[in-house]
Structure formats: C-alpha cells, structure tokens
Amino acid sequence: MDVKFSQEDEAFRGKIRAFLNVSLTEGLRDAARKRTSLWQDIKSSMSWQQILHEKGWAAPDWPIEYGGTGWSLVQRYIFAQECVRAEAPALIPMSLRMCGPMLIGYGTEKQKAHYLPRILSGKDIWCQGYSEPGSGSDLASLQTRAVANGDDYIVNGTKIWTSYAQHANMMFALVRTKNDGKKQEGISFLLIDMTSPGITVRPIINIAGVHELNQVFFENVRVPIINRVGEENSGWTVAKYLLQFERFSMGSVELRRTLGRIEALAKTTRADGESLRDDSDFARDLKYLQIKATMLEASEQRVLANLSAGKPPGPVSSALNIQNAELLQETDMLGVEALGYYANPYEPEALEGGTNRPPIAPENGIAFLPMYLSNRMKSIAGGSSEIQRNIVAKAILQL
Ligand SMILES: Cc1cc2nc3c(=O)[nH]c(=O)nc-3n(C[C@H](O)[C@H](O)[C@H](O)COP(=O)(O)OP(=O)(O)OC[C@H]3O[C@@H](n4cnc5c(N)ncnc54)[C@H](O)[C@@H]3O)c2cc1C
C-alpha cells in the first residue's frame, strides 16, 4: 500500500488543520489532554461530536448515503492523525462506531431513518448490553429473557459492565427468546429505550476510581417488537457483525500519542542533571515500541481499505485488538518507568497523592499512572485477548 501523501492529500490535511484550529476550543483540548481513562468524559466528547456533526464529519467511516464523508482511506487516516495531533476529545464509540454500522448492515429502512440521524447528532447516546454476570467470554449463555406479549417483548434480567449506561438513553442488547436447541440460536437483538419503566442502573467504580461501568437491571420492561433488529432468534449473527466494528479501532493513533508524551518526558533533565534520553535501555525500549506502532498502523490501514470498499473489518480485527491492547499496556509500562526515573520518592506529598494523582504536570497531559490503570481493561473489554486468540485460531488460521 502506498502511504506517501500526494499533493491533494496534503491540501486535504491543510483543510483539516484549518478547521481544527478554528473549531477546537482550548476547553476541549484541555479535556482531551486530561483524559485519564478508556473513555473521554461525556460532556467534552458530545460537544466535539456536535461540532463535527455540523460540519458533516461525525462518522467518516459510514457510507456517504447515511451521513459519511466519502473520504478516501488516506483522507480518513489523515483526519484521525490530525485530530490526535490537535488534541481533540475522543468520541464515544458505542453510538458512532458500533450501533451505527450495525444498523447500516442489519437495520430496517425505518430503523435506519429514525436512529442514524439521531446517532450522528448525538441526540441518542447508546450503550451496549451484551455481558451478564456469568456470560462474558461465553456470551451465548446469556439469560436476560424477552417474552413476546402483544406488540411488545417483556424483558427481565440483568446486564453488567455496561459502559456509560448512566449517560445513555438507548441500549442495544442481546436477549434470550428461546431456551431449547443451540444456545446461539435462541438470541434476539433489541433496541431498548433506557427511560422505559423497570430499568435500574447501578454504578460500578473501576480500579482507577472512576465511574464508567454499570450493572443494569430489567424488571418487566416493555420493548416494542418493532425494535428488534433482524429476525427473532437471529440476534447472534447481528451481535457478531457488530463485534467486528467494536474490536477494530485506530489504536496506533492513541499509541503514538502516548509514545510522543513519553519521548517528551525523557528529553527533560532531572534535578541532578541526569536525563532518561541518555539511558540506552530506555532508548531501545522506546524505539521498539515505535516500530511496533508503525506495524500496527500498517495493518490498520489494510482494514480501513476494507471499510472503504464497504466490507466489514472481518476476523482480522481480533488480531489487531490483541496487538493494540498489548502494545498500549507495554507503552503505559514504559511511561510509568519514565515517571519513576523523574520522581522524587521522598517527597511526602507525592506519596499522599496516591495513584490517582497525575504525578507530573497534568497541564502537560502527562497522566501515565491513571492511564496505566485504565488500559489494563483493554485486554478484557470487547472480548478478552484469550478469546480473540481463539477467534484468530479458528477464523484466520483455520485450526
Ligand atoms: C472496561 C470494560 C468495559 C466493558 N464494557 C462493556 C459494555 O459496554 N457492554 C458489555 O456488554 N460488556 C462490557 N464489558 C464486558 C466484557 O465484554 C467482558 O468483561 C469480557 O467479555 C470478559 O468476560 P468476563 O468479564 O465475564 O470474564 P470471563 O469470561 O469470566 O473470563 C475470565 C478469564 O477467563 C478467560 N477465558 C474465558 N473463557 C476462555 C476460553 N474459552 N479460552 C481461554 N480463556 C478463557 C478469559 O480470557 C479471562 O481471562 C466491558 C469490560 C470492561 C473491562
């Protein structure tokens, strides 16, 4: 693949930069710099989505007829790069990168006409109701039950680890509609209004002390049958299709940002005159991760080429998900080591701050410790790395 940028592409980059210079307020940049967790805070993320939406750029990967940009693969890549360079807030993926593509692939014309514009504008915020206590890796064993009653299903059960359910007004969910036969063949896919009577959202505080996760309870919740995506008992096919989009992300962009921050930190000089940039072990580890980031980037571009051609990412998104998670965690580790090198372990207030306090200049966006904690989740969320390896073994290596 030719990743050299043509004159037209560079002109496109100029157009994006000009837009970002004008549209990204200092408040939004600051929020992006201070993100210390898997998800951007909802306020700045939705404000930024609103600005992008007004420009028609909220979902560059969607087909143009549904509100995509029609940009080439290289242009989309440049856009992603420039957004990170300019420190734009991250967009929340559940609506734009998961629910939207799923509806485009499997929704009825009515569902698409109703929901897609609301996803783009941010009017609807979606959460994902897949996992249950006891049904994570073995997702098909899920037990939340939906029983048809007139024009509705009546839903009872519970979902867990539901990211941002506290902000969402809609949930896409997997429910059991049949008990006998193969467990995958008794699952349906529902779009559930989170304001329906009978839904309770209970917070779960994560290892970094942040409220992103929830458990959601359903007690006789009525969901119109027209809110089903696909046929009854065919939800597993829709669920797997959506997971390909969930598992693919431009992880190399985030990786490069963190590596850039570590490099910047390593160029500073300690009070005793020493600098990490002179440490050959550190330099080797940094270079190794930079090379790995370039390799990941090249693989991601191949998947983007598929998306450009209107194809879903395919099982290769599982392979990329593993690489992405592992590299990010190794990079965070290097960031923490760099912090240790520059830390003053005998400064009492540093000890009192605990792990949630970004130890070095938060205004510079260096918050490796909280990111280190948050990114532990990268190899679990969206399917653990072990499960992704099983998929690679079966679907790619045909083992
Ligand atoms: C930050 C975060 C956000 C999340 N957000 C959402 C969300 O928004 N919506 C949602 O529905 N879910 C969400 N999840 C849940 C996530 O999908 C599950 O945690 C994940 O699928 C693993 O399931 P589990 O937690 O039940 O672990 P288990 O399935 O119990 O796995 C425990 C361990 O056993 C291993 N294991 C299990 N089965 C196998 C096997 N067959 N072969 C090899 N190893 C195996 C796993 O790899 C893991 O190490 C989120 C999770 C996290 C951490």
Side-chain angles (χ1 to χ4, degrees):
M1 179 184 300
D2 183 7
V3 288
K4 271 208 298 256
F5 298 112
S6 67
Q7 262 187 350
E8 293 79 51
D9 290 332
E10 288 303 344
F12 175 81
R13 187 190 297 281
K15 190 172 96 174
I16 301 293
R17 279 195 183 173
F19 165 76
L20 292 171
N21 279 340
V22 173
S23 315
L24 255 181
T25 61
E26 196 38 50
L28 288 175
R29 284 177 206 261
D30 195 47
R33 277 198 289 267
K34 288 185 178 154
R35 178 164 71 88
T36 54
S37 146
L38 212 51
W39 314 121
Q40 183 73 51
D41 68 283
I42 197 82
K43 191 163 163 275
S44 56
S45 183
M46 295 317 292
S47 307
W48 181 230
Q49 182 177 327
Q50 185 59 42
I51 294 169
L52 288 175
H53 173 56
E54 277 160 23
K55 186 79 180 161
W57 291 356
D61 295 337
W62 289 16
I64 198 159
E65 65 268 32
Y66 296 114
T69 52
W71 290 339
S72 70
L73 158 68
V74 175
Q75 287 174 330
R76 278 192 260 165
Y77 176 66
I78 289 174
F79 179 68
Q81 247 189 350
E82 289 301 319
C83 284
V84 169
R85 191 196 59 81
E87 298 186 293
L91 300 180
I92 308 298
M94 277 73 84
S95 304
L96 288 165
R97 281 212 0 254
M98 291 157 68
C99 188
M102 177 280 295
L103 285 172
I104 290 168
Y106 280 92
T108 61
E109 288 311 314
K110 259 192 164 161
Q111 287 167 342
K112 287 192 265 196
H114 179 72
Y115 291 115
L116 293 178
R118 296 166 67 97
I119 289 178
L120 288 172
S121 69
K123 192 162 190 176
D124 286 343
I125 300 178
W126 289 78
C127 62
Q128 178 187 32
Y130 276 25
S131 308
E132 296 180 7
S135 300
S137 302
D138 182 17
L139 185 60
S141 67
L142 61 93
Q143 292 299 323
T144 294
R145 186 173 312 278
V147 179
N149 180 293
D151 291 338
D152 297 333
Y153 284 111
I154 297 186
V155 178
N156 279 287
T158 181
K159 295 288 171 184
I160 198 165
W161 316 122
T162 322
S163 303
Y164 272 12
Q166 75 270 35
H167 302 301
N169 65 319
M170 292 296 297
M171 171 191 274
F172 53 88
L174 295 176
V175 293
R176 180 151 303 284
T177 37
K178 188 161 71 97
N179 271 317
D180 48 341
K182 229 178 133 194
K183 54 191 178 184
Q184 285 85 350
E185 289 166 7
I187 291 172
S188 299
F189 199 107
L190 294 186
L191 311 176
I192 302 179
D193 183 338
M194 291 290 282
T195 62
S196 313
I199 295 184
T200 310
V201 177
R202 187 184 294 165
I204 299 172
I205 306 302
N206 72 15
I207 189 178
V210 179
H211 175 201
E212 290 176 343
L213 301 168
N214 301 275
Q215 183 163 6
V216 182
F217 298 88
F218 301 87
E219 208 183 325
N220 295 324
V221 176
R222 286 196 165 266
V223 180
I225 288 179
I226 50 163
N227 278 19
R228 193 185 64 221
V229 181
E231 295 301 312
E232 189 170 84
N233 300 320
S234 299
W236 190 245
T237 311
V238 185
K240 282 195 303 183
Y241 180 79
L242 184 144
L243 278 175
Q244 294 177 26
F245 291 92
E246 176 178 3
R247 285 168 183 166
F248 173 65
S249 67
M250 288 288 288
S252 62
V253 175
E254 168 102 22
L255 198 58
R256 282 204 180 283
R257 178 170 63 173
T258 311
L259 286 166
R261 287 173 171 179
I262 296 173
E263 200 168 14
L265 177 61
K267 283 184 182 148
T268 57
T269 306
R270 231 166 38 177
D272 61 1
E274 298 283 325
S275 173
L276 196 49
R277 106 192 102 195
D278 303 324
D279 181 310
S280 58
D281 287 345
F282 171 82
R284 184 204 52 221
D285 291 348
L286 183 65
K287 202 41 89 191
Y288 166 83
L289 287 167
Q290 284 166 337
I291 292 167
K292 287 283 202 175
T294 307
M295 288 164 64
L296 180 63
E297 205 166 50
S299 306
E300 287 170 352
Q301 284 164 354
R302 281 203 289 273
V303 174
L304 273 183
N306 267 352
L307 290 174
S308 285
K311 295 185 216 151
V316 75
S317 58
S318 288
L320 293 185
N321 189 292
I322 300 167
Q323 277 188 44
N324 182 2
E326 290 181 355
L327 282 176
L328 210 51
Q329 289 171 355
E330 279 182 64
T331 303
D332 288 336
M333 197 62 226
L334 192 66
V336 171
E337 279 177 27
L339 274 184
Y341 183 88
Y342 286 99
N344 179 353
Y346 300 108
E347 183 195 351
E349 65 185 36
L351 293 173
E352 279 162 24
T355 53
N356 281 330
R357 185 173 76 90
I360 291 190
E363 63 276 16
N364 293 333
I366 297 167
F368 295 123
L369 275 179
M371 271 324 259
Y372 167 80
L373 292 174
S374 273
N375 282 335
R376 302 313 299 163
M377 302 177 248
K378 275 268 180 189
S379 46
I380 307 171
S384 70
S385 289
E386 290 78 15
I387 295 304
Q388 312 280 8
R389 282 192 166 83
N390 286 349
I391 293 170
V392 170
K394 265 167 91 176
I396 301 179
L397 304 175
Q398 315 280 324
L399 296 173

